Amino acid sequence: MNQIGIPNLDKKLEASLIADMVKVEELMRSHIQGDYPLVVETSRHLVEAGGKRLRPLLTLIAAQFGDPTNYDIIKAAVCCELTHLATLYHDDVMDDAVLRRGVISANKKWNNAVAILTGDYLFSKVSDMLADIGPDAVKLQAKTFERLVIGQIKETQGKSEGLSQIDHYMKVVADKTGSLIATSARFGALLSGAKPEVVEVLTKFGEKIGVAFQVADDLLDVASNETASGKTPGTDLKEGIPTLVTLYVIAANAPADKDLIAKLRNPISDQDLPNVITKLRTHNAVKEVQGYLAQVAKEANDLLVDLPEGAAKEGLKNLTYALVNRST
């Protein structure tokens, strides 16, 4: 695996992406400077913790279908990552999380109020930068933010009448994860001057791999011994957060799973966690989710068929492969 995290990437494209990601990191850190030291410290907390930087990376790859030298592309990539980070501060408050990306969460290091306000501060910095790009960029961000909020509300309130728990969950995933990743791709394509039909394809592709990214994360919570994100296996289980794996087990409602299902409907205790993980790892639900994940990945790459051939198109296909196979 290369420095970017995409296998079999064209060397020239890889060098270009690495150079641009350096610009993204530099601008991101400089942009959250401020006059109040505590805000700078809290804002940098998750920036410095690292992360996969999937959203800015996708912005940069999508820009390869036009002119990738427009500096607004770097700005948009920063905006996508800062938006993501802002939502993490808020999510951790709602989930009462202790860790994020392998470091203590902001709400635990400081308090809930500081974490919420830090997220708000990052949103303000995003708006400031997008205003420099132009009103169309501001509008796209606003529409994306609307979906992010609606997704969170749906998750908080529970499923609607007429929807299965699994269908509800997938709608939440599309809004909470898919929307921003789709926008990341759309920004890169739009600001590079790519053809309108290419912009639409890349937007749809982004949403698909956003869903795949979350489903792979669901599998990691059960199947992996450790994750690069700092999230340890069983984190969602311990917090009682539904995942596609647990929802498949519950939906199947097999008599043999009666005790397991009863446990999955609530947060899992430290004492029960090893046994629950062991049962889930051998459960057919894991294979079913892996099958669903493979189907979403195929749908994502099928969208790319009419895009111009070249290193960027192959890079996107390999990115899908990397996202899917991080769960195995």
Side-chain angles (χ1 to χ4, degrees):
M1 189 69 71
N2 54 37
Q3 192 173 335
I4 291 293
I6 303 176
N8 304 315
L9 192 61
D10 176 84
K11 295 301 181 185
K12 185 177 179 182
L13 176 58
E14 179 185 353
S16 174
L17 292 174
I18 289 172
D20 281 345
M21 284 299 290
V22 170
K23 295 176 185 176
V24 168
E25 293 291 334
E26 290 173 347
L27 181 58
M28 182 159 54
R29 283 168 170 76
S30 65
H31 189 61
I32 54 177
Q33 289 283 15
D35 296 329
Y36 189 52
L38 178 61
V39 174
V40 176
E41 182 185 359
T42 59
S43 300
R44 284 176 175 257
H45 182 62
L46 287 186
V47 172
E48 300 296 345
K52 289 169 281 294
R53 304 290 196 252
L54 169 63
R55 292 151 190 85
L57 178 60
L58 186 55
T59 301
L60 298 177
I61 299 176
Q64 301 296 317
F65 292 91
D67 176 8
T69 63
N70 180 1
Y71 192 69
D72 281 347
I73 294 164
I74 303 296
K75 292 180 180 178
V78 168
C79 288
C80 291
E81 184 65 12
L82 288 182
T83 298
H84 174 55
L85 290 174
T87 65
L88 296 185
Y89 282 92
H90 287 182
D91 281 354
D92 286 348
V93 171
M94 286 183 280
D95 297 338
D96 196 28
V98 176
L99 290 175
R100 171 66 71 174
R101 294 183 170 179
V103 300
I104 187 169
S105 62
N107 47 297
K108 293 301 180 184
K109 184 169 184 176
W110 291 282
N111 55 54
N112 283 348
V114 168
I116 291 169
L117 292 169
T118 299
D120 293 344
Y121 175 75
L122 291 179
F123 284 130
S124 76
K125 301 303 285 185
V126 168
S127 297
D128 179 48
M129 188 174 287
L130 287 171
D132 290 338
I133 298 175
D136 288 344
V138 174
K139 186 169 185 177
L140 176 55
Q141 172 71 8
K143 292 293 186 183
T144 306
F145 192 41
E146 177 184 14
R147 286 191 65 190
L148 290 169
V149 172
I150 287 173
Q152 186 62 64
I153 291 173
K154 285 178 181 176
E155 183 178 61
T156 303
Q157 293 300 308
K159 74 182 186 72
S160 307
E161 196 74 31
L163 276 184
S164 71
Q165 192 65 51
I166 290 174
D167 287 342
H168 165 77
Y169 176 77
M170 295 314 301
K171 284 183 177 294
V172 169
V173 168
D175 285 337
K176 280 193 64 179
T177 306
S179 64
L180 184 56
I181 294 178
T183 292
S184 301
R186 189 174 187 87
F187 266 131
L190 275 173
L191 294 172
S192 72
K195 294 179 179 179
E197 59 269 26
V198 172
V199 173
E200 296 308 318
V201 164
L202 290 172
T203 303
K204 291 175 183 176
F205 172 82
E207 180 120 0
K208 284 285 185 184
I209 67 164
V211 171
F213 181 79
Q214 182 57 57
V215 172
D217 201 59
D218 288 357
L219 282 171
L220 278 172
D221 196 57
V222 171
S224 178
N225 290 320
E226 61 180 52
T227 76
S229 65
K231 173 185 173 183
T232 54
T235 299
D236 292 334
L237 291 168
K238 287 177 66 174
E239 295 175 3
I241 297 173
T243 67
L244 198 55
V245 175
T246 60
L247 290 176
Y248 269 32
V249 174
I250 292 170
N253 200 28
D257 293 333
K258 182 180 178 181
D259 291 342
L260 177 61
I261 291 170
K263 285 186 169 67
L264 294 178
R265 293 187 186 278
N266 300 288
I268 307 297
S269 68
D270 287 332
Q271 182 179 351
D272 287 338
L273 187 63
N275 186 44
V276 169
I277 288 179
T278 298
K279 286 183 177 180
L280 287 176
R281 283 177 175 174
T282 58
H283 198 284
N284 191 55
V286 169
K287 290 183 180 178
E288 290 178 351
V289 173
Q290 287 172 335
Y292 177 80
L293 180 59
Q295 178 60 34
V296 174
K298 180 181 182 301
E299 291 171 2
N301 280 348
D302 284 349
L303 288 169
L304 305 177
V305 66
D306 292 328
L307 290 185
E309 296 297 330
K313 180 176 177 177
E314 291 305 308
L316 289 176
K317 289 180 180 179
N318 291 333
L319 173 60
T320 304
Y321 175 85
L323 291 179
V324 168
N325 286 280
R326 73 193 185 99
S327 65
T328 59

